[in-house]
Amino acid sequence: MGKILQIRVSAWTYREEDVEEAWPALVRLAWEHETYLEEKHGVLELVSALSNGLLFENWPEKTASALRAGIATAVSIKNQLETALSDWEPREANKLSDALEDALTALNQLVP
């Protein structure tokens, strides 16, 4: 890394529209009562919004129960992904990004 030029290993969602197309039920649930209109709507943000929704939104118990374990899994994978990125492990981060997307796909199917 240079003195002026920073080198980063990061992950971001290129097209936020793809998130809504891939996981429409989760997007509706996560951002149903959106208060931060300028917030990004990427994959990582979706996981955070779902976690916050589970903790702070008034979701029906049926919904919360159906999604609780899957959201915990997604949050865990997201945390591992962020750790891999901060440790400069792009191969591991790539594997975890696939796992996170798979977890979200499975979770999307569980939304009542």
Side-chain angles (χ1 to χ4, degrees), residues 2-18:
K3 293 177 184 173
I4 298 171
L5 184 62
Q6 294 286 317
I7 307 300
R8 295 179 186 222
V9 180
S10 61
W12 72 94
T13 302
Y14 179 69
R15 285 178 22 103
E16 292 180 359
E17 306 86 45
D18 293 341

Side-chain angles (χ1 to χ4, degrees), residues 82-103:
E82 290 172 337
T83 298
L85 290 170
S86 69
D87 290 344
W88 286 53
E89 296 178 5
R91 284 189 182 101
E92 180 65 17
N94 188 56
K95 289 186 336 191
L96 290 164
S97 71
D98 290 338
L100 182 56
E101 290 177 1
D102 291 345

Side-chain angles (χ1 to χ4, degrees), residues 36-90:
Y36 301 101
L37 296 177
E38 289 143 23
E39 181 180 320
K40 292 183 179 187
H41 290 92
V43 175
L44 300 178
E45 293 82 11
L46 177 60
V47 174
S48 295
L50 290 169
S51 179
N52 288 336
L54 186 61
L55 293 172
F56 304 114
E57 292 293 331
N58 219 1
W59 291 353
E61 184 54 38
K62 180 180 178 181
T63 301
S65 293
L67 302 179
R68 188 170 282 115
I71 290 173
T73 297
V75 168
S76 175
I77 296 169
K78 175 185 176 275
N79 291 340
Q80 292 172 56
L81 172 77
E82 290 172 337
T83 298
L85 290 170
S86 69
D87 290 344
W88 286 53
E89 296 178 5

